[in-house]
Amino acid sequence: MFTVFAWVVKRDLMLAMRSRSDLFTALFFFVIVVSLFPLAIGPELETLRQIAPGVVWVAALLASMLVLERLFAADHADGSLEQMLLSPQPVSLLVLGKVLAHWLVTGVPLVVVAPLLGLQYDLDSEALGVLLLSLLLGTPSLSLIGAIGAGLTLGLRNGGVLVSLLVLPLYVPVLIFGAGAVEASVSGLGAQSHLYLLGAILVMALLLAPLGAAAALRVSAE
Amino acid sequence: MSSRLINWFRFSSPATFYPLVGRLLPWVAASAVLLIGIGLYLSFFVAPTDYKQGEGYRIIFVHVPAAWMSMFIYLVMAFWSAMGLVFNTRLSAMMTQALAPTGAMFTFVALWTGAFWGKPMWGTWWVWDARLTSELILLFLYIGYIALTSAIEDTRRADRAGAILVLVGVVNIPIIYFSVEWWNTLHQGSTINFRKESSMTSTMLWTMLIMALGFWAYTIAAAFSRVRSIILERERNTSWAQELVAGEEVDKHG
């Protein structure tokens, strides 16, 4: 069973490496959105430091939502998704593999680059560490929850807009605790409780989201 | 044993459910009008003025039942969604679809009346407290469900996709319900509590319960009349629906 999981991850990573433009869309979107805010709000460091957690987290949320559509679209188009659904392996495991690969390609770059963007907003080193950690715990949950939405809207005409409508309300807890962690660290309260809750959300999403996404794929591909 | 099973599933077929709903609908609708009428009279003229909040508190007679219904309708939708996925009954999805607009309406009413209450009491239309935010998310969930089911043309896929979405979103309901206990924010704790004596006078309590019953009846009536349209629309190619419509035409013209 584990070999199938590893196979799916390896295959998706290889496909992503072959078409590198996909690799950078989410990352550049994230960087650009975060850089837009100082231009719109003004360069006062005091204000920027206050809005930094929210801005970085909302940008990460939008960036990870932007690429959700591609999670299953290519496999759906060339029919390999149907083969996966027909295979004797548990579909939720295959979904988990695809989500992991998707997160490695689109989520990890965001996490790595976020502290750099935090520097633009004059966050101190402790807050930067918390930002990194909160994104590391939070973005996999975003990909997992998003997989359900991507499965439900698979192949629909205006799927991209629809997926945001379905998924963004479900993202809200991750956003609250993710941005809350950085906020708490900036104001000196300690981010521990928020990070624990993010971890709890991640565990729940790991358990339940692949099942939901597998059910959604079965409905959409039948 | 088997006869009891047949009784359970007898009305899960649109052909038997449609006339049943047609017979029940006038009664439910009439009781909705009656109960809401009595409830409104009691809440404006009979219920005493609150010693702290003055007359403005009377909005809770609409606000609290609407908020109850907004959560309860979602739970009912989740129940029908689960039924539809498990037993593969077409009618379950039709019920879910018929309930969604009413649920969204009550969520909106709860938020709107809450804003009207919040302005004189808290001094602001809106605060980002836990209960208000989670109720807002509930509104988004309703809208997402309606948008998803109307975007999918194949009804079978729309039904099943909608059911999955409703079941995923149901995690939000306990968060709304317990938000005032878990987080100590601006929205007050619940006034009516099953574990201890309620903190309001019995007139107010009765008024609120009558309003809640009236909203229940309204919800059932609205869902019934909507489900009748959905059934006719989806079953338009079956012989019983065509006979029915033809019969109604004859009644009208002959």
Side-chain angles (χ1 to χ4, degrees):
Chain A
M1 217 159 80
F2 187 75
T3 49
V4 183
F5 177 73
W7 173 80
V8 172
V9 176
K10 210 173 121 192
R11 169 183 173 275
D12 275 25
L13 283 181
M14 195 187 283
L15 284 175
M17 286 303 159
R18 296 265 164 84
S19 60
R20 267 183 227 146
S21 69
D22 282 7
L23 207 67
F24 295 110
T25 347
L27 181 62
F28 282 131
F29 179 82
F30 178 61
V31 172
I32 289 171
V33 168
V34 173
S35 320
L36 283 180
F37 278 85
L39 303 178
I41 289 169
E44 293 87 11
L45 286 179
E46 194 50 47
T47 333
L48 288 184
R49 213 176 298 131
Q50 271 175 11
I51 61 166
V55 166
V56 174
W57 258 96
V58 169
L61 211 77
L62 294 176
S64 78
M65 195 195 69
L66 194 71
V67 287
L68 269 184
E69 218 188 340
R70 283 207 300 273
L71 182 53
F72 301 116
D75 283 351
H76 181 59
D78 67 10
S80 43
L81 188 70
E82 263 171 59
Q83 298 301 320
M84 285 184 199
L85 292 177
L86 288 174
S87 79
Q89 307 296 335
V91 179
S92 50
L93 195 71
L94 299 175
V95 169
L96 191 64
K98 285 190 76 66
V99 172
L100 175 65
H102 185 257
W103 177 70
L104 286 174
V105 172
T106 60
V108 171
L110 304 191
V111 178
V112 173
V113 122
L116 212 61
L117 297 173
L119 278 179
Q120 288 186 321
Y121 281 76
D122 197 35
L123 289 178
D124 58 29
S125 61
E126 198 197 323
L128 287 178
V130 173
L131 179 68
L132 187 81
L133 207 59
S134 71
L135 282 170
L136 197 63
L137 283 171
T139 46
S141 310
L142 297 184
S143 297
L144 283 163
I145 298 168
I148 304 175
L152 286 174
T153 56
L154 191 63
L156 292 183
R157 229 177 326 109
N158 49 358
V161 188
L162 200 57
V163 86
S164 60
L165 203 59
L166 304 186
V167 159
L168 282 181
L170 300 174
Y171 276 179
V172 167
V174 184
L175 173 70
I176 289 175
F177 295 122
V182 188
E183 200 98 49
S185 150
V186 169
S187 56
L189 288 173
Q192 225 169 14
S193 61
H194 288 93
L195 291 177
Y196 282 147
L197 279 165
L198 273 182
I201 294 175
L202 177 57
V203 172
M204 290 298 284
L206 270 174
L207 271 173
L208 299 175
L211 294 174
L217 281 179
R218 280 196 196 283
V219 168
S220 299
E222 93 181 350
Chain B
M1 185 69 201
S2 66
S3 70
R4 206 188 295 160
L5 268 181
I6 289 168
N7 275 338
W8 270 104
F9 282 98
R10 188 174 137 74
F11 290 110
S12 68
S13 147
T16 48
F17 188 67
Y18 184 87
L20 172 78
V21 167
R23 275 204 304 280
L24 289 177
L25 187 57
W27 297 100
V28 184
S31 52
V33 172
L34 196 69
L35 283 167
I36 293 177
I38 295 174
L40 282 178
Y41 175 78
L42 287 178
S43 55
F44 277 117
F45 301 110
V46 178
T49 309
D50 190 89
Y51 77 98
K52 217 158 60 186
Q53 304 178 0
E55 302 291 343
Y57 90 96
R58 289 178 197 278
I59 208 159
I60 65 160
F61 293 126
V62 177
H63 174 72
V64 173
W68 281 342
M69 289 316 290
S70 70
M71 290 186 272
F72 183 70
I73 291 176
Y74 198 89
L75 286 181
V76 177
M77 281 171 63
F79 169 78
W80 284 122
S81 299
M83 283 290 157
L85 286 180
V86 173
F87 294 112
N88 223 349
T89 42
R90 283 170 301 159
L91 198 59
S92 314
M94 296 185 202
M95 275 310 283
T96 316
Q97 217 170 14
L99 282 165
T102 311
M105 190 272 285
F106 275 126
T107 316
F108 186 75
V109 166
L111 288 169
W112 191 258
T113 52
F116 274 142
W117 185 86
K119 189 61 187 171
M121 302 300 167
W122 296 339
T124 169
W125 298 104
W126 181 264
V127 283
W128 288 98
D129 105 330
R131 182 164 265 188
L132 274 71
T133 313
S134 44
E135 186 81 7
L136 186 68
I137 294 171
L138 183 66
L139 181 64
F140 293 155
L141 288 176
Y142 277 119
I143 294 173
Y145 170 82
I146 297 171
L148 179 70
T149 46
S150 55
I152 306 177
E153 275 166 27
D154 173 22
T155 49
R156 189 179 145 75
R157 183 182 162 189
D159 289 349
R160 300 174 71 83
I164 292 174
L165 183 68
V166 170
L167 287 177
V168 169
V170 90
V171 287
N172 192 36
I173 297 294
I175 298 180
I176 303 178
Y177 191 75
F178 293 112
S179 57
V180 280
E181 292 182 22
W182 290 346
W183 295 284
N184 197 5
T185 47
L186 194 50
H187 196 291
Q188 64 208 15
S190 50
T191 323
I192 294 170
N193 203 318
F194 294 111
R195 277 162 291 183
K196 59 174 198 279
E197 197 133 315
S198 151
S199 57
M200 65 201 312
T201 71
S202 60
T203 336
M204 292 186 191
L205 184 67
W206 276 109
T207 311
M208 199 181 272
L209 289 180
I210 290 173
M211 280 300 276
L213 279 178
F215 280 9
W216 269 59
Y218 168 80
T219 306
I220 296 171
F224 273 2
S225 70
R226 213 172 277 124
V227 85
R228 265 163 73 91
S229 317
I230 296 174
I231 288 175
L232 273 194
E233 193 185 339
R234 291 204 188 170
E235 305 279 307
R236 61 180 178 273
N237 295 325
T238 60
S239 55
W240 74 265
Q242 280 168 359
E243 275 164 27
L244 188 99
V245 174
E248 277 177 7
E249 288 290 309
V250 170
D251 282 349
K252 221 178 278 173
H253 299 294

